[in-house]
Amino acid sequence: ALDARPPAAHVVGVDFSDPKLVSLSFVPMLVHVALFGLFVWLSFSQAAGPLIDNFAPGPNETGAWATLLSGIVHVVVAVLVVLASVVCSVLVGSVVCDPFYDLLSERTEELFVCRNVGPSFSVQVVLRGLVRELMATVLRLFVWGIVAVPLWALSFTPATIVATPLSFVWTWLFFAYEYVSRSLVRHAVQPKKRFGPMFSHKAVFVGFGATAWLLSFIPFLAPVLVVAATRLYLSLAVYDRVPSLYTADEKQKLKA
């Protein structure tokens, strides 16, 4: 048995109670922080100087206004560099750390159900999974774009007062789906059927997605979001709100 204790013993402090979970979390955290530092260094060393030279007052311009404008330009460039570094580190880090996120999600689920939940490894299984998930990604982007593109077009019209909030809500919905889909994949839910839980529990997914979207701009918090999304899936699965491979006995123990 993975652990002799009942699942309820893991509910409090699951993020820090298991050494393996902590170690799996630290790796992507360190990668994200390292990438953020790298992009900040590259941005300041390569891009900040030319931007400041183009927009700041020249050396021949003096006076209080020139000093104020120069200070504003320096602050704006610094903020832009940091924001660009955050976005780049999140995007690159999400790709580099994806295998760790799968392991994190698996380990979180194992702590609750007290058994191994990861699929057995084989080249055939991996190749089938890659093809399936590539198709799932294309489908997800297609469904997201059907609504996102018209809302983006409406944002340039007076309807922007409605289109902009709806764009955020639609993005948050799929942002949550991106994290929860790891559990759906593990429980053999077909790509076309993965949208069902998202649209059936829109308020839950939008609420989680909004929080995850905001916290994702802090690079080292991605592992925490993966663990949280797995726990969200578990809380829905035990009441049959989402498809799962759990037995009736496992669901009963999780409810306890």
Side-chain angles (χ1 to χ4, degrees):
L2 178 73
D3 196 321
R5 293 178 295 171
H10 299 289
V11 173
V12 179
V14 65
D15 303 60
F16 301 101
S17 62
D18 182 67
K20 184 177 180 180
L21 194 67
V22 172
S23 61
L24 287 172
S25 300
F26 271 126
V27 173
M29 284 180 178
L30 292 175
V31 170
H32 274 275
V33 171
L35 286 171
F36 174 69
L38 175 63
F39 283 120
V40 167
W41 176 75
L42 289 174
S43 299
F44 274 110
S45 61
Q46 303 296 325
L51 284 174
I52 291 174
D53 292 339
N54 287 332
F55 294 100
N60 296 328
E61 299 181 50
T62 59
W65 172 248
T67 302
L68 176 62
L69 181 59
S70 178
I72 292 174
V73 169
H74 278 78
V75 171
V76 170
V77 169
V79 171
L80 290 176
V81 164
V82 172
L83 289 177
S85 300
V86 168
V87 172
C88 291
S89 63
V90 169
L91 292 176
V92 176
S94 64
V95 175
V96 174
C97 300
D98 187 73
F100 288 97
Y101 295 154
D102 285 336
L103 293 174
L104 266 173
S105 183
E106 287 179 12
R107 183 58 181 174
T108 302
E109 189 172 336
E110 288 173 353
L111 288 173
F112 281 91
V113 299
C114 298
R115 64 173 173 83
N116 293 322
V117 299
S120 57
F121 176 82
S122 72
V123 175
Q124 186 178 10
V125 170
V126 171
L127 291 178
R128 277 206 309 261
L130 287 174
V131 173
R132 182 185 65 246
E133 292 313 307
L134 177 61
M135 295 175 61
T137 300
V138 174
L139 178 62
R140 181 170 67 250
L141 290 174
F142 175 75
V143 174
W144 174 78
I146 288 176
V147 176
V149 173
L151 288 176
W152 174 78
L154 287 173
S155 66
F156 295 98
T157 70
T160 185
I161 192 171
V162 175
T164 299
L166 288 178
S167 295
F168 277 107
V169 170
W170 187 247
T171 298
W172 292 337
L173 193 65
F174 278 82
F175 209 85
Y177 172 85
E178 184 69 25
Y179 281 99
V180 178
S181 64
R182 296 179 187 277
S183 298
L184 295 172
V185 172
R186 193 161 51 250
H187 285 261
V189 181
Q190 295 300 314
K192 291 182 180 180
K193 296 182 179 180
R194 295 176 196 168
F195 296 106
M198 180 178 72
F199 290 120
S200 298
H201 307 287
K202 293 183 286 293
V204 174
F205 273 72
V206 169
F208 180 85
T211 305
W213 176 81
L214 183 63
L215 294 179
S216 67
F217 289 100
I218 305 176
F220 57 83
L221 286 186
V224 177
L225 298 176
V226 173
V227 173
T230 306
R231 297 181 68 174
L232 172 61
Y233 171 82
L234 287 166
S235 68
L236 294 172
V238 295
Y239 292 101
D240 296 318
R241 303 295 178 85
V242 294
S244 75
L245 298 177
Y246 296 133
T247 64
D249 184 56
E250 286 177 330
K251 292 176 183 177
Q252 189 60 39
K253 288 180 179 179
L254 287 168
K255 287 178 184 179

